[in-house]
Amino acid sequence: MATVSYTSRSATPDNEADPVAALVARARAAQLIANGYDQARTDELVAAAGWAIMEPTRNRALAELAVADTGIGNVDDKIRKNYRKTLGLLRDLKGAPSVGVISEDPAKGLVEIARPVGVVAAVTPSTNPAATPANKIINALKGRNAVIVAPSPKGVTACALLLEYIHAEFDRIAAPRDLVQMLPAPISKASTQALMQQCDLVVVTGSQSNVKNAYASGTPAFGVGAGNVASIVDETADCDASAEKIVRSKTFDNATSCSSENSVVLVDAVYDRMLAALAACGAVLLDADQKAAVQKLMWPDGKLSSRAIGQSAQAIARGAGLDDLGAPSVLMVEEAQIGPAHPYSGEKLSPVLAVYRARDFDDAKQIVERIYAHQGAGHSVSLHSTRDERALDLGLNLAVARVIVNQAHCIATGGSFDNGLPFSLSMGCGTWGGNNFSDNMNYRHYLNTTRIARPIAEVVPSDEAVLGEFFEKYGR
């Protein structure tokens, strides 16, 4: 197979005075080599990058470094996340065609051919400084692309170690290291912006500021919307099972995931029972004074503080001077208001949960609609119920791309072994969330597709065949 460039952008000169241009030039040279790979060789790249983070000793080292350097989350959950998210992604990619002809439809005379997008700029957050880069790298490699990571400044060392492990695996299979690179430290807004402008595709997970910068870079971009997940618990729910799932989701990696519940909306008929069930799982309901103390710690100047992000409920309670709470799993606050003046109604990135009381399911739906009008539109909603039609109701009427039913939300939303969603750490939120896609981001987003169209027997329908019902109702 000829090693011709698959990108529409001209190669960037290797200018040593411009380190970003030099990275891009090396990435383009490596991507030219990958252009010649067949499916089997491409899948070796994928396996090598996956094993780089899954291997137990390396996985632990990455998790420990991530927590040590960012101060966010906890080691054991990051180990589980690094392993399970990567294992699930490799499962999704195994046997998936991404090289050459990937589908044929003789009846329509169509053939689809997968082509690389070129050099991918992957902007990643501090909340998942190993798992998110790995996910993007693996998806990019599945399409025979090169990828350059722009990590969060706090996540530089973990990302660098991940790349060290990937390069070691590439050496084993004699693949070019320059297929996977990262911006050199110190990471700056200027270097990240330069990278986005010089690459062929930008995929960005993290702050909405980064997403907006990606869209304004002049390069095609996929960005994700803000998370602020609400969970409805209706009168038919199993309260004990629902509480266990909510607390398990809300405490995983200290709620660093955009898919962690930020609010629970409890139907009045189960309000007291659900609070008791949540308390049995270690969640503590704060009184008004305690709520005010935690709010002062979390939003001292109106902006969510690093003293709260990714910290345990116990650490947040201690920081707020609430030492008498013991060792809570989650801090709960009753809330009735929504909007900028009521910060508990927004995303908290910590095991702090706003609790809303609803008259019934319809009222709960309206409360969630108001929450998402404030923040979180497009992402997803959680439902605990035995009435399946209510999931369809939410899907038809709420501004969400996903309805997660009777599951631990943060584990389920990005794909799980017990649901059918693709494994991903980047969830599109559609136009509701200011995004151009509403899928769980996957390898197909890292491909161009060329279509061959051959002539088939012409079939031209009559006016009656396509407009008959309209004519019958309204006349010609």
Side-chain angles (χ1 to χ4, degrees), residues 129-337:
T132 299
N135 187 276
K136 293 183 178 183
I137 288 166
I138 291 168
N139 276 319
L141 292 173
K142 181 70 175 179
R144 293 177 294 162
N145 302 295
V147 57
I148 302 172
V149 182
S152 161
K154 287 185 177 181
V156 168
T157 52
C159 187
L161 184 59
L162 171 65
L163 265 61
E164 180 182 318
Y165 293 152
I166 290 174
H167 289 162
E169 291 298 314
F170 278 7
D171 291 347
R172 292 177 61 196
I173 66 172
R177 287 186 169 198
D178 286 342
L179 281 172
V180 180
Q181 301 177 78
M182 64 176 278
L183 287 178
I187 305 297
S188 68
K189 291 182 179 179
S191 62
T192 300
Q193 190 68 23
L195 177 67
M196 292 192 293
Q197 290 171 343
Q198 294 182 38
C199 288
D200 303 297
L201 177 70
V202 179
V203 290
V204 54
T205 306
S207 72
Q208 290 306 289
S209 175
N210 281 341
V211 172
K212 290 175 182 176
N213 288 338
Y215 288 156
S217 68
T219 301
F222 289 108
V224 299
N228 187 28
V229 171
S231 180
I232 295 174
V233 183
D234 77 5
E235 72 280 4
T236 72
D238 180 326
C239 289
D240 291 335
S242 300
E244 185 278 328
K245 291 181 177 72
I246 290 168
V247 171
R248 174 154 50 96
S249 172
K250 188 60 176 167
T251 56
F252 185 79
D253 203 22
N254 293 345
T256 57
S257 171
C258 63
S259 296
S260 294
E261 294 90 338
N262 279 274
S263 302
V264 288
V265 184
L266 311 180
V267 168
D268 189 67
V270 294
Y271 191 86
D272 292 334
R273 273 191 290 145
M274 267 303 296
L275 287 183
L278 289 164
C281 294
V284 173
L285 183 65
L286 304 183
D287 63 27
D289 291 338
Q290 293 167 334
K291 177 182 176 182
V294 170
Q295 180 171 329
K296 184 177 179 181
L297 171 80
M298 293 184 67
W299 297 277
D301 55 2
K303 181 180 178 182
L304 186 61
S305 170
S306 60
R307 294 184 66 189
I309 295 173
Q311 306 305 303
S312 68
Q314 186 174 356
I316 293 171
R318 283 199 309 266
L322 306 179
D323 298 315
D324 57 340
L325 292 183
S329 61
V330 174
L331 302 178
M332 299 187 296
V333 297
E334 289 185 299
E335 187 58 85
Q337 303 299 317

Side-chain angles (χ1 to χ4, degrees), residues 39 60 83 157 174 229 345 390 395 417 476:
Q39 189 70 66
R60 175 166 288 278
Y83 180 83
T157 52
V229 171
S345 66
R390 286 183 168 170
F417 292 107
R476 289 181 177 266

Side-chain angles (χ1 to χ4, degrees), residues 9-35:
R9 294 189 172 214
S10 59
T12 306
D14 190 349
N15 183 349
E16 290 303 325
D18 183 346
V20 175
L23 284 179
V24 174
R26 292 199 296 272
R28 293 201 186 285
Q31 199 270 319
L32 281 173
I33 296 171
N35 280 343

